[in-house]
Amino acid sequence: MADHSFSDGVPSDSVEAAKNASNTEKLTDQVMQNPRVLAALQERLDNVPHTPSSYIETLPKAVKRRINALKQLQVRCAHIEAKFYEEVHDLERKYAALYQPLFDKRREFITGDVEPTDAESEWHSENEEEEKLAGDMKNKVVVTEKEAATAEEPNPKGIPEFWFTIFRNVDMLSELVQEYDEPILKHLQDIKVKFSDPGQPMSFVLEFHFEPNDYFSNSVLTKTYKMKSEPDKADPFSFEGPEIVDCDGCTIDWKKGKNVTVKTIKKKQKHKGRGTVRTITKQVPNESFFNFFNPLKGKSDEDSEFTLASDFEIGHFFRERIVPRAVLYFTGEAIEDDDNEKSEEQSRKSRCREAVSEVIASLLCEPCLVTQQYSLKT
């Protein structure tokens, strides 16, 4: 039940509100009469940053006219920059041809088609001294011929599960891989990047080469990324270099019952007239890495835009990091480098945050202490 007590005909909650308002007004008057508080408040107001747009609005028309002329120059700079990136793309194509013989040999070593020579296999690691010491100790151990044969290490062909191991090592990729994708990815033998031909629209193709397997008949699965290197007419100042604008996948020729991108569900259906119930089977989409080859098309909602942005990021990552530095992602060395870069960036942001906190604390500390003193007095 509500409390309707009255004091001299006025509700008690109204009286309390009036007292609070009066106390607040008195405290404000007292604080505003203190020169130290006023000085601190004025300093804070002086330090409030003015937005660039508010400053531009105060300039004379003649100055604004010159600024518009500078913007015209900036648009022309953006178009020159776009041409620069087109030439960079041509340069990438040129050097891709120089890299390819090395990547072809990499594939031969991975698949075991070619065995590297002793000179090609020589590598001086950071732990070389420890390995040498361990080798010397091993040479001192006397073993019989029979024991040596028994202890002989296995010698599998090539480097088993090379690309699949990279998928497992890289978080961005492992998040896409489902358990039922893994047996298929173990058949992946190579990933290549092909750039568009001279005179053609800027693009690149990712080629995933598979050995014969029980899942699909394709030997190569492709993903094409279409790029644009020109300023947006509506917002030319947003140009920061080539960007992916679209992508196309390929048709996977799945063998019967092996398509991991769909799953079959059973659903009971009741006949409206007769009332009988029957069970029907229906295929619905299933999460899988191989959906990568069937990108979204024709949707513009927030979820689809996020999915496309993630798709573009993965495409760039394959092109710029995974394919050129595959062995380092296999061993984990490249991942450690990436983690160190992230750690340094986080440390830098943390230092900036601490500096900002100190500035804010120095601005707020004195006024707050004075306000607290007056609050205690009242």
Side-chain angles (χ1 to χ4, degrees):
M1 183 178 293
D3 182 7
H4 294 289
S5 59
F6 287 74
S7 176
D8 297 330
V10 181
S12 60
D13 54 352
S14 299
V15 173
E16 187 65 26
K19 288 181 179 179
N20 290 338
S22 177
N23 290 337
T24 301
E25 187 175 354
K26 288 180 182 178
L27 176 60
T28 303
D29 290 340
Q30 291 172 344
V31 170
M32 295 304 294
Q33 290 172 8
N34 187 290
R36 295 179 65 198
V37 174
L38 290 176
L41 291 174
Q42 185 60 49
E43 184 180 357
R44 289 185 64 192
L45 289 173
D46 292 340
N47 288 332
V48 173
H50 297 283
T51 61
S53 57
S54 65
Y55 166 68
I56 297 300
E57 291 301 319
T58 65
L59 296 176
K61 289 184 178 180
V63 176
K64 291 180 181 178
R65 181 174 175 274
R66 294 166 196 144
I67 293 173
N68 290 337
L70 294 184
K71 288 183 177 181
Q72 290 275 13
L73 295 176
Q74 190 63 44
V75 171
R76 292 169 65 181
C77 286
H79 284 280
I80 293 174
E81 186 180 6
K83 293 295 182 183
F84 164 77
Y85 282 114
E86 287 180 5
E87 292 195 20
V88 169
H89 188 72
D90 292 336
L91 201 59
E92 284 183 311
R93 184 190 302 110
K94 172 186 174 181
Y95 276 86
L98 300 178
Y99 287 129
Q100 196 54 52
L102 301 178
F103 292 158
D104 289 342
K105 181 165 281 192
R106 177 177 71 184
R107 174 177 177 167
E108 291 174 342
F109 291 163
I110 290 171
T111 59
D113 293 340
V114 173
E115 188 67 27
T117 64
D118 290 341
E120 290 172 328
S121 302
E122 186 177 355
W123 182 258
H124 301 288
S125 68
E126 295 178 358
N127 301 324
E128 187 173 5
E129 292 185 7
E130 295 179 9
E131 293 172 358
K132 184 177 182 302
L133 179 61
D136 292 341
M137 293 179 65
K138 183 178 180 181
N139 291 335
K140 293 177 181 178
V141 178
V142 179
V143 292
T144 65
E145 187 174 335
K146 183 177 179 180
E147 289 174 334
T150 305
E152 186 178 355
E153 290 185 355
N155 185 16
K157 185 179 179 180
I159 305 176
E161 301 180 4
F162 179 85
W163 292 100
F164 173 59
T165 301
I166 293 174
F167 272 75
R168 286 191 304 185
N169 288 347
V170 178
D171 289 343
M172 184 186 295
L173 303 181
S174 63
E175 291 173 356
L176 303 176
V177 177
Q178 308 300 317
E179 186 176 352
Y180 38 80
D181 292 329
E182 295 180 0
I184 310 176
L185 289 172
K186 290 179 181 180
H187 293 285
L188 180 59
Q189 292 186 311
D190 198 13
I191 303 177
K192 294 182 179 181
V193 179
K194 295 288 185 69
F195 292 92
S196 54
D197 293 329
Q200 297 297 315
M202 189 181 294
S203 66
F204 67 93
V205 181
L206 297 177
E207 294 183 349
F208 294 74
H209 293 252
F210 287 84
E211 65 183 353
N213 59 80
D214 296 332
Y215 297 91
F216 46 73
S217 57
N218 311 65
S219 59
V220 182
L221 301 181
T222 61
K223 182 74 169 286
T224 303
Y225 287 91
K226 301 174 184 178
M227 304 175 68
K228 181 183 74 171
S229 181
E230 61 181 88
D232 191 322
K233 292 181 180 179
D235 185 16
F237 303 130
S238 64
F239 180 74
E240 294 182 351
E243 60 178 340
I244 296 175
V245 293
D246 196 11
C247 58
D248 291 322
C250 68
T251 300
I252 303 178
D253 298 321
W254 294 101
K255 296 181 180 179
K256 187 176 180 180
K258 298 294 186 178
N259 189 349
V260 295
T261 65
V262 295
K263 60 183 177 181
T264 302
I265 61 172
K266 293 183 178 181
K267 185 178 180 182
K268 291 185 177 181
Q269 190 178 67
K270 187 176 181 180
H271 193 279
K272 293 182 179 179
R274 296 191 295 269
T276 56
V277 178
R278 64 172 181 169
T279 301
I280 61 172
T281 58
K282 181 181 179 182
Q283 281 195 333
V284 295
N286 194 28
E287 290 187 3
S288 168
F289 165 74
F290 291 91
N291 289 323
F292 179 73
F293 300 97
N294 184 27
L296 287 173
K297 291 286 185 181
K299 293 185 179 180
S300 59
D301 57 85
E302 188 174 340
D303 288 341
S304 62
E305 288 178 1
F306 175 79
T307 301
L308 283 174
S310 300
D311 191 326
F312 295 168
E313 184 180 4
I314 293 168
H316 266 305
F317 198 74
F318 271 117
R319 169 191 164 181
E320 297 175 0
R321 307 299 287 271
I322 297 293
V323 172
R325 309 177 70 199
V327 66
L328 301 181
Y329 282 97
F330 175 80
T331 62
E333 294 166 81
I335 298 170
E336 292 175 3
D337 292 341
D338 291 345
D339 289 342
N340 289 337
E341 289 178 10
K342 290 178 183 178
S343 178
E344 290 176 5
E345 177 66 13
Q346 290 172 350
S347 178
R348 186 186 67 80
K349 289 181 179 179
S350 178
R351 290 196 299 271
C352 290
R353 189 179 295 110
E354 289 175 2
V356 170
S357 298
E358 289 177 4
V359 171
I360 293 175
S362 65
L363 289 173
L364 296 180
C365 182
E366 186 175 358
C368 286
L369 288 173
V370 175
T371 304
Q372 289 175 4
Q373 291 173 358
Y374 278 99
S375 298
L376 291 172
K377 289 180 182 179
T378 55

